[in-house]
Amino acid sequence: MPDSKARDTSDKLIVAGREFNSRLIIGTGKYKDYAQNAEALEASGADIVTVAVRRVNLSDPKAPMLADFISPEKTTYLPNTAGCFTGEDAVRTLRLAREAGGWDLVKLEVLSDPKHLYPDMEETLRAAELLLKDDFEVMVYCSDDPVFAKKLEDMGCAAIMPLGAPIGSGLGIQNPVNIRLIVEQTKVPVIVDAGVGTASDATAAMELGCDGVLMNTAIAESKDPIRMARAMKHAVIAGREAYLAGRMPKKMYADPSSPLAGLI
């Protein structure tokens, strides 16, 4: 059955004391343009968009700006450190983001090999510690390792974001056992980040008890991003409802819906 963390009467996603109606977070990369991104956001119902500070135009008025299409007053911008491979780069990037937009709720990711983009957990831990000392609220991308996840939570991170599969792979959750272990041990939100490919992957994450799902490529690189965004909205809701309802037990043999005794 669902644990007490899941039984909030309002059932809102709460991160660092902030309430969000949607448990789906989407990105702002790989779309045809900002207009398509904004349309996908509306279809998804998401309240939060991740913003790759090193890649998205936030300040050059001579070029299309994200804020002209997705209002930071209506949607929570979550600056992230996509493309950072050292703790120093990540910390510097988020400090610049705070200076530019006043953001203190941030997503930390420190990558390792460009081929698989798994997080460098030693650098991630080091960067998280520096950011927490600098009064950031840190949502942190990490490996699906319950040991590292616990260390990050104990440090004070606002949300633990284990990967489901390599970034942009669309493979779906490859290690549901570890994701479930992380969910069971963690008191702050657990949000699957990376690897979702289609709606059933998002539903599977939510049925494991995750508090949310973050995705970008699954929507942006689908044939119809707007329709996929809408599908993801419903997938996250369905998975959450199924988790809260508590699934039936799995059985080795058939169990008829209507009793076989007393048949005419």
Side-chain angles (χ1 to χ4, degrees), residues 88-119:
E88 285 80 6
D89 280 350
V91 171
R92 186 184 309 111
T93 297
L94 292 177
R95 284 174 177 165
L96 289 172
R98 182 158 65 181
E99 289 179 14
W103 297 295
D104 57 8
L105 180 64
V106 297
K107 178 195 165 189
L108 170 66
E109 57 180 83
V110 184
L111 305 175
S112 53
D113 191 319
K115 183 175 182 179
H116 55 64
L117 298 180
Y118 266 71

Side-chain angles (χ1 to χ4, degrees), residues 11-248:
D11 200 39
K12 294 178 181 290
L13 174 63
I14 301 175
V15 182
R18 309 176 197 205
E19 294 187 357
F20 303 98
N21 291 315
S22 174
R23 293 176 177 275
L24 174 61
I25 302 171
I26 73 168
T28 51
K30 299 185 177 181
Y31 288 91
K32 179 178 67 176
D33 50 34
Y34 288 148
Q36 185 187 62
N37 197 167
E39 194 175 354
L41 171 64
E42 184 177 0
S44 75
D47 300 315
I48 306 173
V49 293
T50 59
V51 179
V53 179
R54 303 178 72 183
R55 296 173 180 163
V56 171
N57 179 27
L58 296 172
S59 58
D60 182 4
K62 297 179 182 179
M65 293 178 62
L66 180 65
D68 293 334
F69 296 86
I70 298 175
S71 169
E73 280 74 42
K74 296 180 180 178
T75 301
T76 296
Y77 278 27
L78 183 64
N80 72 17
T81 57
C84 292
F85 289 83
T86 68
E88 285 80 6
D89 280 350
V91 171
R92 186 184 309 111
T93 297
L94 292 177
R95 284 174 177 165
L96 289 172
R98 182 158 65 181
E99 289 179 14
W103 297 295
D104 57 8
L105 180 64
V106 297
K107 178 195 165 189
L108 170 66
E109 57 180 83
V110 184
L111 305 175
S112 53
D113 191 319
K115 183 175 182 179
H116 55 64
L117 298 180
Y118 266 71
D120 182 328
M121 291 310 302
E122 290 182 352
E123 289 291 287
T124 297
L125 287 164
R126 193 164 63 85
E129 185 175 14
L130 292 170
L131 290 168
L132 290 167
K133 288 179 179 177
D134 211 6
D135 295 324
F136 283 94
E137 299 284 358
V138 181
M139 301 172 67
V140 57
Y141 169 64
C142 60
S143 61
D144 57 354
D145 182 338
V147 177
F148 277 118
K150 183 62 175 172
K151 289 181 179 180
L152 289 164
E153 181 185 10
D154 290 345
M155 289 173 63
C157 290
I160 305 302
M161 307 177 77
L163 58 82
I167 292 173
S169 68
L171 291 171
I173 295 176
Q174 295 297 293
N175 197 341
V177 173
N178 276 18
I179 298 294
R180 181 63 191 174
L181 287 172
I182 292 171
V183 167
E184 289 178 352
Q185 75 181 16
T186 307
K187 294 181 174 61
V188 298
V190 175
I191 300 170
V192 161
D193 179 5
V196 169
T198 191
S200 57
D201 299 331
T203 299
M206 298 305 295
E207 288 179 343
L208 287 169
C210 294
D211 297 276
V213 181
L214 189 155
M215 66 186 70
N216 183 70
T217 308
I219 296 175
E221 291 196 348
S222 65
K223 292 181 180 179
D224 186 340
I226 312 309
R227 176 166 285 184
M228 184 61 81
R230 192 178 304 117
M232 292 301 188
K233 171 184 177 179
H234 294 302
V236 168
I237 293 171
R240 179 67 175 175
E241 288 291 293
Y243 172 69
L244 292 175
R247 66 157 291 142
M248 62 166 285

